[in-house]
Amino acid sequence: MQLSLRRLLSVSLVAALSACASNGGSETGNMMRSKKVDTDVQEAAKLQVRLGQGYLTEGDLETARDKLQRAMQLDPQSVDAHTLMA
């Protein structure tokens, strides 16, 4: 089960990081990409929270903590990450 969660995480992070790549463009285009990156980062944070919650459920507290800390790095305002860490 842990292996499949790690694979899901890896694929999601690659997708999120791929969206971060920028090859220049107009100011409007850059703003649109910036908003997409913000959305992708928030989605990555949500995924980390879900993974953390799953590891908590399985009793793997160390991995859960790592996932929730990563979620808070990505989105310091994540109420769910802060709640689960408490």
Side-chain angles (χ1 to χ4, degrees):
M1 177 101 179
Q2 283 184 334
L3 185 57
S4 64
L5 287 174
R6 288 184 184 177
R7 284 185 183 169
L8 174 63
L9 171 64
S10 297
V11 170
S12 298
L13 287 177
V14 168
L17 291 175
S18 296
C20 293
S22 173
N23 56 358
S26 69
E27 193 169 313
T28 303
N30 287 336
M31 287 175 52
M32 290 176 67
R33 278 190 287 280
S34 177
K35 287 180 182 179
K36 179 163 177 28
V37 169
D38 289 344
T39 301
D40 288 344
V41 169
Q42 288 175 341
E43 288 300 315
K46 288 177 185 177
L47 175 61
Q48 293 293 320
V49 169
R50 287 192 301 256
L51 288 169
Q53 188 173 21
Y55 284 115
L56 277 174
T57 301
E58 292 180 9
D60 187 348
L61 302 182
E62 185 176 333
T63 304
R65 184 196 66 220
D66 292 343
K67 299 303 175 190
L68 295 170
Q69 285 176 340
R70 180 64 181 140
M72 290 187 291
Q73 287 173 346
L74 292 167
D75 182 5
Q77 304 302 317
S78 172
V79 174
D80 292 334
H82 285 279
T83 300
L84 288 169
M85 280 293 284

